[in-house]
Amino acid sequence: MIQFRDRGARGRHQGAQIDARHSFSFADYNDPKHMGFRALRVLNEDRVVPGAGLPEHGHEDMEIVTIVLRGAVEHRDNLGNSAVIRAGEVQRMSAGTGIRHSERNPSADERTHLLQIWIIPAETGGPPSYEQKSFADDGERNRWIIVASRDGRDGSLTLRQDAAMEIARLDDGATLARTLDPARGYWVQVIAGIVSLNGTEMREGDGAAITSEDKLFVEAETDAEVLLVDLP
């Protein structure tokens, strides 16, 4: 079964500094029908104006993954990490028993465009931790690239959950087939372009929850980028 989540049906917070779209209930957006999907709790698409961001705030017991699509994010936390995450890079924070951080767009003239994804960990507690890595190689096209997983396989970031995140950057006309485990759940998010997902057209911002399926077919109708989240 595939349940599509239209880009226009997402929650939205549009402020002077951040324009955010919420696939699931978040902050002031509360929809009992969209509280998450399996261990996937938050999937936000944010656009942040130059110089803006969020002051220091805290998280506990959450795996927080930030994928920067355009521009950059400046990160500081109470673990001593100070970094800039640029387009093509992915950041993972395991909040564990508690982490405090701030994030802002360091540019003077370019908006930042990012996805922020929260995964509920398999177990609560544990020390907080941080990882960051670039997955921006333009030669890695027309295939799935794993960017996060429980065991850090193939050089991916590590998650405290039996989950994985994969990104595919597709040329116009490219097709990807993938075998699925019908016992697991999968979330597809179109990051850019237009694709056909098992025969249904999806555009930038559209999402889909997939259960009890054994095959996934993605065909790019334009140059496109797609995120796949594999969930227990």
Side-chain angles (χ1 to χ4, degrees), residues 12-32:
R12 185 176 188 182
H13 168 78
Q14 188 174 25
Q17 297 187 336
I18 300 176
D19 185 359
R21 309 295 179 102
H22 310 308
S23 294
F24 307 110
S25 294
F26 184 84
D28 293 336
Y29 169 60
N30 183 24
D31 182 346

Side-chain angles (χ1 to χ4, degrees), residues 10 36 49 73 91 93-94 102-103 116 121 123 130 161 175 178 186-187 190 192 217-218 225:
R10 295 177 294 176
V49 302
V73 174
Q91 174 204 66
M93 289 188 298
S94 290
S102 63
E103 51 193 349
Q116 189 167 99
E123 297 180 0
Y130 178 94
Q161 177 56 274
T175 300
R178 191 184 190 284
Y186 302 84
W187 183 271
V190 180
F217 297 96
V218 179
E225 188 168 356

Side-chain angles (χ1 to χ4, degrees), residues 78-93:
N78 64 336
L79 302 181
N81 297 300
S82 177
V84 176
I85 306 101
R86 304 187 186 279
E89 294 186 312
V90 182
Q91 174 204 66
R92 187 273 300 153
M93 289 188 298

Side-chain angles (χ1 to χ4, degrees), residues 3-7 9-11 22-23 29 34 187 205-208:
Q3 295 178 301
F4 291 94
R5 180 78 162 121
D6 186 87
R7 58 196 178 280
R10 295 177 294 176
H22 310 308
S23 294
Y29 169 60
H34 295 96
W187 183 271
D206 288 341

Side-chain angles (χ1 to χ4, degrees), residues 43 73 192 219:
L43 199 162
V73 174
E219 181 176 1

Side-chain angles (χ1 to χ4, degrees), residues 26-27 37 66 70 96 108 113 143 167 180 192 194 206 214 225:
F26 184 84
F37 174 65
T66 300
R70 187 176 300 110
H113 183 196
R143 72 178 188 90
I167 290 176
L180 305 180
I194 305 171
D206 288 341
D214 59 8
E225 188 168 356

